[in-house]
Amino acid sequence: MLKKTTLASVVAGAALATGAAASAADVVELGPRPYFLVDSMEDSALKEKLLSCAAGPFKPTLFSIGHRGAAMQFPEHTKESYVAAARMGAGIIECDVTFTADKELVCRHAQNDLHTTTNILATDLAEKCTQPFVPASGDDKAQAECRTSDLTLEEFLSLEGKMDAADADATTVEGYMDATAGWRTDLYAAPGGTLMTHAQSIELIAGLGAKFTPELKSPAVEMPFDGFTQEDYAQKMIDEYKAADIAPEDVWPQSFNLDDVLYWIEHEPEFGKQAVFLDEGTGEESWSNMDPSTWAHAMADLKAQGVQYIAPAMWMLVTVENGEIVPSRYAEEAKAAGLKIITWTLERSGPLMTGGGWYYQSIEEVTDNDGVMLELLDVLAQDVGVVGVFSDWPATVSYYANCMGLK
Protein backbone atom coordinates (compact mmCIF):
# COMPACT_ATOMS: atom_id res chain seq x y z
CA MET A 1 0.00 0.00 0.00
CA LEU A 2 1.46 3.36 -1.00
CA LYS A 3 2.09 5.68 1.93
CA LYS A 4 0.30 9.02 1.90
CA THR A 5 2.81 11.86 1.89
CA THR A 6 2.43 15.60 2.48
CA LEU A 7 4.96 18.41 2.29
CA ALA A 8 4.96 18.61 6.08
CA SER A 9 5.64 14.89 6.45
CA VAL A 10 8.42 14.99 3.86
CA VAL A 11 10.13 17.89 5.64
CA ALA A 12 9.75 16.11 8.97
CA GLY A 13 11.11 12.86 7.52
CA ALA A 14 14.10 14.61 6.01
CA ALA A 15 14.84 16.31 9.32
CA LEU A 16 14.75 12.97 11.13
CA ALA A 17 17.02 11.37 8.54
CA THR A 18 19.64 14.11 8.68
CA GLY A 19 19.31 15.08 12.30
CA ALA A 20 18.82 18.68 11.26
CA ALA A 21 15.99 20.97 10.30
CA ALA A 22 15.13 20.60 6.62
CA SER A 23 14.53 23.74 4.62
CA ALA A 24 11.28 23.92 2.67
CA ALA A 25 13.34 25.47 -0.15
CA ASP A 26 15.06 22.10 -0.58
CA VAL A 27 11.79 20.17 -0.75
CA VAL A 28 9.23 19.94 -3.52
CA GLU A 29 5.49 19.30 -3.34
CA LEU A 30 4.55 16.32 -5.49
CA GLY A 31 0.90 15.91 -4.56
CA PRO A 32 -1.01 12.65 -5.09
CA ARG A 33 -0.55 12.07 -8.82
CA PRO A 34 2.83 10.28 -8.85
CA TYR A 35 1.52 7.90 -6.20
CA PHE A 36 -1.63 7.29 -8.24
CA LEU A 37 0.48 6.39 -11.26
CA VAL A 38 2.70 4.03 -9.28
CA ASP A 39 -0.41 2.32 -7.90
CA SER A 40 -1.66 1.93 -11.49
CA MET A 41 1.40 -0.09 -12.55
CA GLU A 42 1.45 -3.83 -13.00
CA ASP A 43 3.44 -5.62 -10.32
CA SER A 44 7.14 -5.49 -11.19
CA ALA A 45 10.57 -4.74 -9.79
CA LEU A 46 10.20 -1.19 -11.10
CA LYS A 47 6.96 -0.72 -9.20
CA GLU A 48 8.55 -2.00 -6.00
CA LYS A 49 11.46 0.39 -6.48
CA LEU A 50 9.14 3.34 -7.00
CA LEU A 51 7.03 2.33 -4.01
CA SER A 52 10.13 2.32 -1.85
CA CYS A 53 10.64 6.05 -2.49
CA ALA A 54 7.20 7.16 -1.32
CA ALA A 55 8.44 8.93 1.79
CA GLY A 56 11.01 11.04 -0.07
CA PRO A 57 12.67 13.40 0.52
CA PHE A 58 12.23 15.04 -2.88
CA LYS A 59 14.30 17.87 -4.34
CA PRO A 60 14.38 19.84 -7.59
CA THR A 61 16.01 17.99 -10.49
CA LEU A 62 17.28 19.10 -13.90
CA PHE A 63 15.87 15.86 -15.32
CA SER A 64 12.37 17.30 -14.81
CA ILE A 65 11.50 20.05 -17.31
CA GLY A 66 8.31 22.08 -16.92
CA HIS A 67 6.65 22.06 -20.35
CA ARG A 68 5.03 25.48 -20.63
CA GLY A 69 5.13 25.37 -16.83
CA ALA A 70 2.63 22.91 -15.40
CA ALA A 71 0.18 23.04 -18.28
CA MET A 72 -1.94 20.01 -17.43
CA GLN A 73 -3.91 22.07 -14.91
CA PHE A 74 -2.58 25.65 -15.03
CA PRO A 75 -2.90 28.06 -17.98
CA GLU A 76 0.30 27.55 -19.94
CA HIS A 77 3.09 30.12 -20.02
CA THR A 78 1.69 32.08 -17.10
CA LYS A 79 3.29 33.10 -13.84
CA GLU A 80 1.03 30.65 -12.02
CA SER A 81 2.04 27.77 -14.28
CA TYR A 82 5.76 28.46 -13.87
CA VAL A 83 5.49 28.69 -10.09
CA ALA A 84 3.57 25.40 -9.99
CA ALA A 85 6.25 23.70 -12.09
CA ALA A 86 9.00 24.84 -9.73
CA ARG A 87 7.03 23.65 -6.72
CA MET A 88 6.80 20.24 -8.40
CA GLY A 89 10.56 19.98 -8.66
CA ALA A 90 11.14 21.07 -12.25
CA GLY A 91 14.76 22.15 -12.33
CA ILE A 92 14.31 23.62 -15.81
CA ILE A 93 11.25 25.60 -16.98
CA GLU A 94 10.30 26.42 -20.57
CA CYS A 95 9.24 29.76 -22.00
CA ASP A 96 8.19 29.46 -25.64
CA VAL A 97 9.31 32.76 -27.14
CA THR A 98 7.47 34.82 -29.74
CA PHE A 99 7.02 38.55 -30.37
CA THR A 100 4.45 41.33 -30.37
CA ALA A 101 3.66 44.04 -32.93
CA ASP A 102 6.33 46.24 -31.32
CA LYS A 103 8.83 43.35 -31.52
CA GLU A 104 8.94 42.64 -27.80
CA LEU A 105 9.52 39.02 -26.72
CA VAL A 106 6.74 37.25 -24.82
CA CYS A 107 5.96 33.71 -23.64
CA ARG A 108 3.41 31.89 -25.84
CA HIS A 109 3.46 28.43 -27.38
CA ALA A 110 2.68 29.91 -30.79
CA GLN A 111 2.52 33.40 -32.18
CA ASN A 112 -1.04 32.70 -33.30
CA ASP A 113 -2.61 30.96 -30.29
CA LEU A 114 -4.11 33.85 -28.31
CA HIS A 115 -7.64 32.82 -29.32
CA THR A 116 -7.20 29.46 -27.58
CA THR A 117 -4.86 30.33 -24.68
CA THR A 118 -6.16 33.73 -23.52
CA ASN A 119 -9.40 35.63 -23.03
CA ILE A 120 -8.80 37.92 -26.01
CA LEU A 121 -12.05 37.00 -27.78
CA ALA A 122 -14.00 38.24 -24.76
CA THR A 123 -12.22 41.62 -24.78
CA ASP A 124 -12.25 44.73 -26.97
CA LEU A 125 -8.92 43.57 -28.43
CA ALA A 126 -10.76 40.83 -30.34
CA GLU A 127 -11.33 43.28 -33.19
CA LYS A 128 -7.56 43.46 -33.72
CA CYS A 129 -7.25 39.73 -34.37
CA THR A 130 -5.99 38.54 -37.74
CA GLN A 131 -9.26 36.56 -37.94
CA PRO A 132 -11.98 37.74 -35.56
CA PHE A 133 -14.36 35.10 -34.27
CA VAL A 134 -16.75 33.59 -36.82
CA PRO A 135 -19.36 31.21 -35.38
CA ALA A 136 -19.87 27.68 -36.66
CA SER A 137 -22.65 27.42 -39.20
CA GLY A 138 -23.89 24.29 -40.92
CA ASP A 139 -20.84 22.30 -42.04
CA ASP A 140 -18.51 25.25 -41.45
CA LYS A 141 -16.47 25.22 -38.27
CA ALA A 142 -15.97 28.24 -36.03
CA GLN A 143 -12.96 30.34 -36.93
CA ALA A 144 -10.59 32.66 -35.09
CA GLU A 145 -6.91 33.53 -35.20
CA CYS A 146 -5.31 36.00 -32.83
CA ARG A 147 -1.58 36.64 -32.93
CA THR A 148 0.80 38.25 -30.50
CA SER A 149 1.93 40.31 -33.49
CA ASP A 150 -1.59 41.75 -33.70
CA LEU A 151 -0.99 43.52 -30.38
CA THR A 152 1.46 45.85 -28.71
CA LEU A 153 3.23 44.58 -25.61
CA GLU A 154 0.97 46.70 -23.40
CA GLU A 155 -2.11 45.21 -25.02
CA PHE A 156 -0.73 41.68 -24.73
CA LEU A 157 -0.07 42.06 -21.01
CA SER A 158 -3.66 43.22 -20.44
CA LEU A 159 -4.92 39.74 -21.38
CA GLU A 160 -5.48 36.78 -19.06
CA GLY A 161 -4.32 33.23 -19.68
CA LYS A 162 -6.80 30.35 -19.91
CA MET A 163 -6.51 26.64 -20.51
CA ASP A 164 -5.57 25.96 -24.13
CA ALA A 165 -8.80 24.82 -25.80
CA ALA A 166 -11.45 25.80 -28.33
CA ASP A 167 -14.76 24.30 -29.49
CA ALA A 168 -14.83 24.39 -33.29
CA ASP A 169 -18.57 23.69 -33.25
CA ALA A 170 -19.40 26.70 -31.10
CA THR A 171 -21.82 29.39 -32.23
CA THR A 172 -20.83 31.89 -29.53
CA VAL A 173 -17.56 33.26 -28.21
CA GLU A 174 -18.42 31.90 -24.77
CA GLY A 175 -18.95 28.41 -26.16
CA TYR A 176 -15.80 28.58 -28.25
CA MET A 177 -13.67 29.46 -25.23
CA ASP A 178 -15.28 26.94 -22.85
CA ALA A 179 -13.75 23.71 -24.16
CA THR A 180 -11.19 22.47 -21.63
CA ALA A 181 -10.61 18.70 -21.91
CA GLY A 182 -12.28 16.62 -19.21
CA TRP A 183 -8.95 15.30 -17.91
CA ARG A 184 -7.68 18.83 -17.37
CA THR A 185 -9.38 21.48 -15.22
CA ASP A 186 -10.41 25.12 -15.16
CA LEU A 187 -10.09 25.18 -11.37
CA TYR A 188 -6.74 27.01 -11.43
CA ALA A 189 -7.63 29.10 -14.48
CA ALA A 190 -10.73 30.71 -13.00
CA PRO A 191 -8.92 33.84 -11.73
CA GLY A 192 -7.14 34.23 -15.08
CA GLY A 193 -3.48 33.44 -15.59
CA THR A 194 -0.84 36.18 -15.55
CA LEU A 195 0.83 36.57 -18.95
CA MET A 196 4.54 37.27 -19.06
CA THR A 197 7.23 38.80 -21.21
CA HIS A 198 10.28 36.67 -21.85
CA ALA A 199 12.34 39.00 -19.64
CA GLN A 200 9.80 38.70 -16.82
CA SER A 201 9.94 34.91 -17.11
CA ILE A 202 13.73 35.02 -16.73
CA GLU A 203 13.44 37.05 -13.54
CA LEU A 204 10.72 34.78 -12.14
CA ILE A 205 12.38 31.47 -13.01
CA ALA A 206 15.71 32.65 -11.63
CA GLY A 207 13.95 33.66 -8.42
CA LEU A 208 12.40 30.20 -8.21
CA GLY A 209 15.88 28.67 -8.32
CA ALA A 210 15.30 26.95 -11.67
CA LYS A 211 17.13 27.05 -15.00
CA PHE A 212 15.90 27.92 -18.49
CA THR A 213 14.96 26.33 -21.80
CA PRO A 214 13.50 29.02 -24.07
CA GLU A 215 12.13 27.86 -27.41
CA LEU A 216 12.30 30.26 -30.36
CA LYS A 217 8.93 29.73 -32.05
CA SER A 218 8.34 29.77 -35.79
CA PRO A 219 6.73 33.12 -36.65
CA ALA A 220 3.18 33.14 -38.04
CA VAL A 221 4.07 36.32 -39.92
CA GLU A 222 6.36 36.65 -42.88
CA MET A 223 9.92 37.46 -41.93
CA PRO A 224 11.49 39.98 -41.88
CA PHE A 225 8.68 41.55 -39.86
CA ASP A 226 8.90 45.33 -40.11
CA GLY A 227 12.66 44.95 -40.55
CA PHE A 228 12.95 42.34 -37.76
CA THR A 229 14.81 39.38 -39.26
CA GLN A 230 14.95 35.79 -38.06
CA GLU A 231 18.54 36.39 -36.99
CA ASP A 232 17.49 39.50 -35.04
CA TYR A 233 14.82 37.39 -33.34
CA ALA A 234 17.25 34.59 -32.43
CA GLN A 235 19.80 37.11 -31.15
CA LYS A 236 17.31 39.11 -29.11
CA MET A 237 16.27 35.99 -27.21
CA ILE A 238 19.87 35.36 -26.14
CA ASP A 239 20.47 39.03 -25.43
CA GLU A 240 17.75 39.00 -22.79
CA TYR A 241 19.62 36.30 -20.84
CA LYS A 242 22.85 38.28 -21.14
CA ALA A 243 21.07 41.44 -19.94
CA ALA A 244 19.81 39.49 -16.91
CA ASP A 245 23.35 38.20 -16.23
CA ILE A 246 22.27 34.57 -16.61
CA ALA A 247 25.15 32.12 -17.05
CA PRO A 248 25.09 30.36 -20.45
CA GLU A 249 25.39 26.97 -18.74
CA ASP A 250 21.98 27.60 -17.12
CA VAL A 251 20.25 28.02 -20.50
CA TRP A 252 19.23 25.42 -23.08
CA PRO A 253 17.95 27.48 -26.05
CA GLN A 254 15.88 25.36 -28.41
CA SER A 255 14.21 25.47 -31.81
CA PHE A 256 12.59 23.21 -34.40
CA ASN A 257 14.41 25.34 -36.98
CA LEU A 258 17.93 23.97 -37.36
CA ASP A 259 19.12 27.30 -38.75
CA ASP A 260 18.28 28.94 -35.39
CA VAL A 261 20.38 26.37 -33.56
CA LEU A 262 23.28 26.81 -36.00
CA TYR A 263 23.02 30.60 -35.60
CA TRP A 264 23.51 30.30 -31.84
CA ILE A 265 26.40 27.88 -32.30
CA GLU A 266 28.16 30.35 -34.61
CA HIS A 267 27.25 33.72 -33.09
CA GLU A 268 26.72 32.88 -29.41
CA PRO A 269 28.99 29.87 -28.91
CA GLU A 270 28.72 29.83 -25.10
CA PHE A 271 24.94 29.55 -25.36
CA GLY A 272 25.25 27.41 -28.49
CA LYS A 273 27.00 24.67 -26.49
CA GLN A 274 23.61 23.74 -25.02
CA ALA A 275 21.40 24.65 -27.98
CA VAL A 276 18.74 22.00 -28.54
CA PHE A 277 17.52 20.91 -31.96
CA LEU A 278 13.88 19.90 -31.61
CA ASP A 279 13.31 17.13 -34.13
CA GLU A 280 9.71 16.44 -35.16
CA GLY A 281 10.68 13.77 -37.68
CA THR A 282 9.27 13.23 -41.14
CA GLY A 283 5.73 12.12 -40.35
CA GLU A 284 6.58 8.50 -41.10
CA GLU A 285 4.56 6.17 -38.87
CA SER A 286 7.35 3.61 -38.98
CA TRP A 287 9.98 6.07 -37.72
CA SER A 288 11.20 3.68 -35.03
CA ASN A 289 12.43 1.16 -37.59
CA MET A 290 12.97 3.19 -40.73
CA ASP A 291 16.23 3.41 -42.64
CA PRO A 292 18.38 6.27 -41.22
CA SER A 293 19.30 7.23 -44.79
CA THR A 294 15.71 8.47 -45.23
CA TRP A 295 15.80 10.81 -42.22
CA ALA A 296 15.71 14.56 -42.75
CA HIS A 297 18.90 14.98 -40.70
CA ALA A 298 21.65 12.41 -40.26
CA MET A 299 22.83 12.23 -36.66
CA ALA A 300 26.51 12.38 -37.59
CA ASP A 301 25.87 15.47 -39.73
CA LEU A 302 24.15 17.24 -36.84
CA LYS A 303 27.06 16.45 -34.56
CA ALA A 304 29.56 17.65 -37.17
CA GLN A 305 27.71 21.00 -37.35
CA GLY A 306 28.19 21.46 -33.61
CA VAL A 307 24.79 20.29 -32.37
CA GLN A 308 25.16 18.68 -28.94
CA TYR A 309 21.51 18.17 -27.95
CA ILE A 310 18.62 16.67 -29.90
CA ALA A 311 15.03 16.53 -28.68
CA PRO A 312 12.50 14.28 -30.44
CA ALA A 313 9.03 13.27 -29.25
CA MET A 314 8.97 10.33 -26.84
CA TRP A 315 7.48 7.90 -29.35
CA MET A 316 10.42 8.39 -31.72
CA LEU A 317 12.81 7.00 -29.11
CA VAL A 318 11.05 3.71 -28.40
CA THR A 319 9.44 0.71 -30.05
CA VAL A 320 8.08 -2.67 -28.93
CA GLU A 321 9.91 -5.99 -29.17
CA ASN A 322 8.46 -9.21 -27.74
CA GLY A 323 5.90 -7.21 -25.80
CA GLU A 324 8.51 -4.96 -24.15
CA ILE A 325 9.30 -1.27 -24.63
CA VAL A 326 12.84 -0.92 -26.00
CA PRO A 327 14.96 1.84 -27.58
CA SER A 328 14.27 2.59 -31.24
CA ARG A 329 16.73 2.73 -34.11
CA TYR A 330 16.51 6.51 -33.86
CA ALA A 331 17.62 6.43 -30.21
CA GLU A 332 20.49 4.09 -30.99
CA GLU A 333 21.73 6.27 -33.87
CA ALA A 334 21.54 9.46 -31.77
CA LYS A 335 23.54 7.86 -28.97
CA ALA A 336 26.08 6.45 -31.41
CA ALA A 337 26.65 9.95 -32.79
CA GLY A 338 27.34 11.26 -29.28
CA LEU A 339 24.23 13.44 -29.11
CA LYS A 340 22.61 14.16 -25.76
CA ILE A 341 18.87 13.46 -25.86
CA ILE A 342 15.95 15.35 -24.31
CA THR A 343 12.37 14.30 -25.02
CA TRP A 344 8.76 15.53 -24.90
CA THR A 345 6.03 15.39 -23.58
CA LEU A 346 4.89 13.34 -20.60
CA GLU A 347 1.47 14.00 -19.04
CA ARG A 348 0.05 15.49 -22.24
CA SER A 349 -2.13 12.60 -23.36
CA GLY A 350 -4.82 12.13 -20.74
CA PRO A 351 -5.76 8.60 -19.60
CA LEU A 352 -3.79 5.86 -21.39
CA MET A 353 -6.39 3.09 -21.35
CA THR A 354 -6.89 3.11 -25.12
CA GLY A 355 -3.37 3.40 -26.48
CA GLY A 356 -2.27 6.87 -25.41
CA GLY A 357 -2.63 8.69 -28.73
CA TRP A 358 0.08 10.54 -30.64
CA TYR A 359 2.80 10.52 -27.99
CA TYR A 360 2.53 6.75 -27.55
CA GLN A 361 1.99 5.70 -31.17
CA SER A 362 5.09 3.51 -31.40
CA ILE A 363 4.12 1.56 -28.25
CA GLU A 364 0.34 1.62 -28.66
CA GLU A 365 0.09 -2.17 -28.48
CA VAL A 366 1.36 -2.23 -24.89
CA THR A 367 -0.26 1.01 -23.69
CA ASP A 368 -3.43 0.12 -21.80
CA ASN A 369 -3.18 1.78 -18.37
CA ASP A 370 -1.75 4.92 -16.79
CA GLY A 371 1.07 2.98 -15.15
CA VAL A 372 2.66 2.52 -18.59
CA MET A 373 3.70 6.18 -18.30
CA LEU A 374 6.27 5.25 -15.66
CA GLU A 375 7.37 2.14 -17.58
CA LEU A 376 8.05 4.36 -20.61
CA LEU A 377 9.83 6.92 -18.46
CA ASP A 378 12.08 4.19 -17.06
CA VAL A 379 13.07 2.97 -20.55
CA LEU A 380 13.73 6.55 -21.67
CA ALA A 381 15.95 7.18 -18.64
CA GLN A 382 17.74 3.86 -18.22
CA ASP A 383 17.90 2.36 -21.72
CA VAL A 384 17.72 5.34 -24.07
CA GLY A 385 19.67 7.53 -21.64
CA VAL A 386 17.78 10.80 -22.03
CA VAL A 387 19.10 13.66 -19.91
CA GLY A 388 15.76 15.42 -19.46
CA VAL A 389 12.02 14.95 -19.95
CA PHE A 390 9.45 17.66 -20.60
CA SER A 391 6.20 17.17 -18.73
CA ASP A 392 2.90 19.01 -18.42
CA TRP A 393 2.84 17.84 -14.78
CA PRO A 394 6.47 17.88 -13.64
CA ALA A 395 5.78 16.13 -10.32
CA THR A 396 5.64 12.79 -12.14
CA VAL A 397 9.13 13.13 -13.62
CA SER A 398 10.45 14.69 -10.41
CA TYR A 399 9.26 11.68 -8.38
CA TYR A 400 10.92 9.23 -10.76
CA ALA A 401 14.17 11.22 -10.96
CA ASN A 402 14.46 11.56 -7.20
CA CYS A 403 13.75 7.87 -6.71
CA MET A 404 16.40 6.86 -9.25
CA GLY A 405 19.00 9.33 -8.05
CA LEU A 406 18.97 11.40 -11.25
CA LYS A 407 20.21 14.96 -10.86
Side-chain angles (χ1 to χ4, degrees), residues 72-350:
M72 187 167 77
Q73 295 193 4
F74 287 80
E76 63 185 47
H77 292 308
T78 60
K79 176 182 178 180
E80 294 77 10
S81 190
Y82 295 154
V83 170
R87 286 174 174 162
M88 285 187 254
I92 302 173
I93 298 174
E94 177 193 44
C95 165
D96 287 326
V97 180
T98 188
F99 57 86
T100 60
D102 40 357
K103 293 171 277 191
E104 296 296 332
L105 302 186
V106 296
C107 299
R108 283 293 93 195
H109 176 64
Q111 189 171 49
N112 60 342
D113 73 4
L114 296 184
H115 51 292
T116 66
T117 65
T118 76
N119 66 334
I120 188 170
L121 294 179
T123 75
D124 292 340
L125 292 172
E127 64 186 28
K128 299 192 70 171
C129 291
T130 294
Q131 171 61 71
F133 176 72
V134 177
S137 178
D139 294 332
D140 296 329
K141 299 294 185 180
Q143 298 178 51
E145 183 184 358
C146 304
R147 301 174 176 176
T148 58
S149 53
D150 292 333
L151 308 177
T152 65
L153 178 61
E154 182 179 7
E155 290 168 336
F156 171 83
L157 290 174
S158 73
L159 300 176
E160 296 178 351
K162 76 174 191 69
M163 296 302 287
D164 183 15
D167 181 359
D169 294 319
T171 57
T172 66
V173 165
E174 294 76 15
Y176 185 81
M177 295 174 61
D178 185 17
T180 302
W183 50 274
R184 293 185 169 179
T185 181
D186 287 317
L187 184 63
Y188 304 112
T194 306
L195 271 58
M196 306 200 79
T197 68
H198 177 234
Q200 287 172 337
S201 80
I202 295 172
E203 181 180 9
L204 175 67
I205 293 168
L208 292 168
K211 300 183 189 296
F212 314 85
T213 186
E215 179 187 336
L216 198 74
K217 302 303 297 189
S218 297
V221 295
E222 185 176 348
M223 299 292 278
F225 175 77
D226 190 26
F228 191 54
T229 67
Q230 186 69 24
E231 292 77 14
D232 293 335
Y233 179 29
Q235 185 63 53
K236 185 167 185 172
M237 190 182 85
I238 299 301
D239 285 345
E240 294 198 343
Y241 288 95
K242 294 165 73 173
D245 200 27
I246 301 297
E249 58 266 29
D250 290 343
V251 185
W252 286 262
Q254 48 175 336
S255 179
F256 281 101
N257 181 353
L258 181 58
D259 287 341
D260 293 336
V261 175
L262 298 179
Y263 175 87
W264 294 320
I265 291 170
E266 179 180 356
H267 297 278
E268 290 289 350
E270 291 304 306
F271 287 88
K273 289 177 183 178
Q274 294 188 159
V276 182
F277 174 48
L278 296 160
D279 188 4
E280 56 189 338
T282 62
E284 294 283 347
E285 292 184 355
S286 59
W287 180 276
S288 295
N289 302 305
M290 65 190 288
D291 182 347
S293 67
T294 68
W295 297 351
H297 302 282
M299 301 297 178
D301 289 347
L302 291 173
K303 184 71 173 179
Q305 293 177 88
V307 177
Q308 302 298 322
Y309 288 83
I310 192 167
M314 297 185 303
W315 71 267
M316 293 165 62
L317 294 170
V318 290
T319 188
V320 176
E321 291 182 2
N322 301 318
E324 300 292 332
I325 304 172
V326 298
S328 68
R329 180 79 177 276
Y330 179 100
E332 293 170 350
E333 293 287 334
K335 289 170 65 177
L339 293 168
K340 296 177 182 178
I341 307 171
I342 297 170
T343 193
W344 41 276
T345 304
L346 209 69
E347 296 281 27
R348 194 159 180 81
S349 303

